[in-house]
């Protein structure tokens, strides 16, 4: 097997940490000696041992003289766990192959330098594009100080998310809805508009629960919501945050119900606040006006679209993306690395926005 084959295995391992390790990166590692794997590991949970340490522990004495394949440059600083570089040196690893350097300020090439200073051969860049794609949310948080934004909607074949009178339950089928719940369980926040709350009365939780319990966020100009809506009734059980420009007038009522209130008129400011809270992934579920505002601001990073084999028709039936939109086709968002999957009777299209 080649270096790329072992790195591909390390990337597979890294994916298993999704939802458990954020805001840390997803990292996988494989220890190979004389052409055979002798230890594997991945970063399993935030605050626990890193991938390299787990792989070295699995390899034991077989790590001496072996090659370590790791999807991200090993850390060299004392954080919640000791430096991985120290463990690598102590284990007697002869060669390290890393997919990419870690832009985290306390690492950023220093881990590689420390290993080389210990006479360990280091190579960087094997499957780097794949490693960067895997950790796009982590890299976005580091570089932009804001979370990676996922946009999700379900629509009919004629591109409608609701009928002309606002009915939308259920456009997609049960299998698609299960996938949405799994997606929610990987998020730090789920964002909807106040009109979606009024029309659909969503609960916005992951059922069954996933690795993460996202904050439920409502964008509302004035914070006025039906007092009997599911979000307000469960705000003391699962966090609810309301954000808007004129929300101060509703602060006392909302906080009395257990909600958090954030006065802001700008979704970029909201994402900056989420960045300060170290949110890594957020999911925008709609409606059309909210999705349109994120699209117009250039803040969507990835889309999850569920297409049902149905037609609604009607000029007044809603399309998924509102806002101003593009004036010319060249200004439309283009997706890269797009996948298409059959889910029951529906089709699920997933892709990253090309930058």
């Amino acid at each position: 097997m080649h270096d790329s084959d072992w790195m591909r295995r390390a990337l597979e391992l890294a994916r298993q940490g999704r939802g458990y390790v954020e805001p840390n990166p997803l990292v996988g590692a494989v220890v190979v000696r004389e052409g055979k794997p002798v230890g594997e590991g991945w970063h399993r949970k935030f605050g626990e041992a890193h991938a390299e340490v787990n792989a070295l522990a699995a390899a034991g004495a077989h790590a001496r003289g072996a090659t370590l394949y790791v999807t991200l440059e090993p850390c060299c600083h004392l954080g919640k766990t000791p430096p991985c570089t120290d463990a690598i040196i102590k284990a007697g690893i002869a060669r390290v192959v890393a997919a990419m350097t870690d832009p985290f300020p306390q690492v950023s090439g220093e881990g590689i330098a420390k290993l080389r200073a210990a006479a360990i051969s280091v190579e960087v860049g094997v499957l780097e594009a794949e490693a960067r794609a895997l950790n796009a949310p982590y890299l976005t948080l580091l570089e932009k100080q804001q979370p990676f934004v996922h946009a999700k909607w379900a629509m009919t074949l004629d591109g409608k998310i609701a009928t002309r009178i606002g009915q939308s339950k259920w456009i997609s089928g049960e299998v698609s809805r299960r996938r949405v719940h799994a997606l929610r369980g990987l998020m730090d926040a789920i964002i909807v508009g106040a009109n979606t709350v009024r029309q659909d009365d969503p609960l916005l939780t992951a059922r069954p629960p996933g690795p993460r319990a996202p904050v439920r966020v409502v964008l509302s100009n004035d914070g006025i919501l039906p007092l009997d809506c599911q979000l307000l009734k469960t705000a003391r059980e699962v966090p609810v945050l309301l954000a808007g420009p004129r929300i101060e007038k509703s602060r006392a009522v909302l906080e009395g119900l257990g909600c958090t209130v954030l006065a802001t008129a700008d979704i970029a400011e909201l994402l900056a606040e989420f960045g300060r809270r170290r949110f890594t992934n957020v999911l925008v579920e709609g409606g059309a006006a909210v999705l349109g505002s994120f699209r117009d601001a250039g803040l969507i990073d990835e889309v999850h679209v569920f297409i049902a084999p149905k037609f609604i028709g009607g000029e007044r039936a809603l399309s998924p993306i509102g806002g101003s939109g593009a004036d010319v086709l060249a200004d439309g968002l283009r997706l890269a690395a797009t996948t298409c999957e059959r889910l029951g009777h529906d089709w699920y299209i997933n892709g990253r926005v090309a930058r």
Side-chain angles (χ1 to χ4, degrees):
M1 293 177 70
H2 302 288
D3 285 348
S4 58
D5 297 315
W6 296 119
M7 188 62 73
R8 193 164 284 109
R9 173 57 182 162
L11 289 166
E12 290 174 0
L13 293 166
R15 291 186 184 95
Q16 297 184 60
R18 191 177 180 206
Y20 296 95
V21 306
E22 292 88 351
N24 281 357
L26 304 175
V27 184
V30 180
V31 181
V32 178
R33 183 174 180 178
E34 297 177 355
K36 296 181 180 179
V38 294
E40 294 184 339
W42 67 93
H43 187 24
R44 292 174 177 266
K45 190 175 182 181
F46 179 76
E48 294 185 359
H50 290 184
E52 302 94 316
V53 172
N54 288 330
L56 292 171
H62 296 292
R64 187 159 299 277
T67 296
L68 171 68
Y69 295 88
V70 62
T71 58
L72 188 69
E73 175 185 6
C75 68
C76 55
H77 66 290
L78 180 62
K80 291 186 177 294
T81 60
C84 289
T85 49
D86 291 358
I88 294 168
I89 294 167
K90 183 178 180 181
I93 289 289
R95 177 174 175 249
V96 172
V97 180
M100 59 177 287
T101 57
D102 186 351
F104 188 72
Q106 290 175 276
V107 184
S108 193
E110 294 299 319
I112 293 169
K114 188 171 182 179
L115 293 174
R116 285 174 174 161
I120 295 175
S121 172
V122 181
E123 297 176 36
V124 182
V126 175
L127 298 188
E128 180 173 357
E130 289 88 338
R132 286 189 171 277
L134 175 69
N135 269 316
Y138 166 74
L139 296 173
T140 298
L141 183 60
L142 275 185
E143 295 165 7
K144 298 182 179 180
Q145 299 300 304
Q146 67 184 39
F148 192 82
V149 176
H150 302 255
K152 166 263 168 184
W153 63 89
M155 69 181 188
T156 58
L157 279 176
D158 55 340
K160 306 298 184 181
I161 61 171
T163 67
R164 62 184 176 84
I165 63 171
Q167 187 184 49
S168 62
K169 290 184 177 180
W170 295 100
I171 283 179
S172 58
E174 184 179 346
V175 180
S176 293
R177 296 198 296 274
R178 285 203 298 266
R179 178 63 62 88
V180 171
H181 282 286
L183 185 63
R184 286 177 177 176
L186 300 173
M187 299 290 142
D188 293 304
I190 298 171
I191 303 171
V192 298
N195 194 51
T196 294
V197 177
R198 297 185 189 104
Q199 290 279 349
D200 297 342
D201 191 20
L203 188 57
L204 299 181
T205 56
R207 303 184 296 277
R212 309 188 82 76
V215 175
R216 299 171 297 171
V217 180
V218 181
L219 304 185
S220 171
N221 286 331
D222 52 19
I224 298 175
L225 297 177
L227 293 178
D228 62 347
C229 72
Q230 294 191 89
L231 289 179
L232 295 185
K233 289 196 295 185
T234 59
R236 296 191 187 280
E237 302 163 20
V238 183
V240 173
L241 183 151
L242 280 95
R246 301 189 302 276
I247 209 161
E248 285 294 340
K249 64 176 68 176
S250 302
R251 179 181 290 275
V253 172
L254 293 170
E255 290 183 342
L257 293 169
C259 301
T260 300
V261 174
L262 182 64
T264 178
D266 192 299
I267 55 174
E269 290 179 10
L270 177 67
L271 293 184
E273 172 60 27
F274 288 165
R276 287 187 286 272
R277 298 183 185 201
R278 311 309 294 162
F279 286 7
T280 309
N281 291 280
V282 300
L283 179 64
V284 182
E285 289 208 18
V290 172
L291 285 164
S293 66
F294 275 84
R295 184 261 172 236
D296 290 345
L299 292 172
I300 295 175
D301 297 302
E302 184 170 343
V303 300
H304 307 264
V305 183
F306 299 85
I307 304 176
K310 305 173 183 176
F311 293 90
I312 289 178
E315 293 180 359
R316 294 173 58 195
L318 283 175
S319 297
I321 308 293
S324 299
D327 289 329
V328 295
L329 287 175
D331 292 337
L333 296 185
R334 182 174 59 85
L335 298 185
T338 306
T339 62
C340 185
E341 178 184 353
R342 188 72 180 265
L343 293 179
H345 296 296
D346 304 330
W347 289 97
Y348 166 50
I349 295 177
N350 171 233
R352 297 267 173 91
V353 175
R355 301 299 185 191

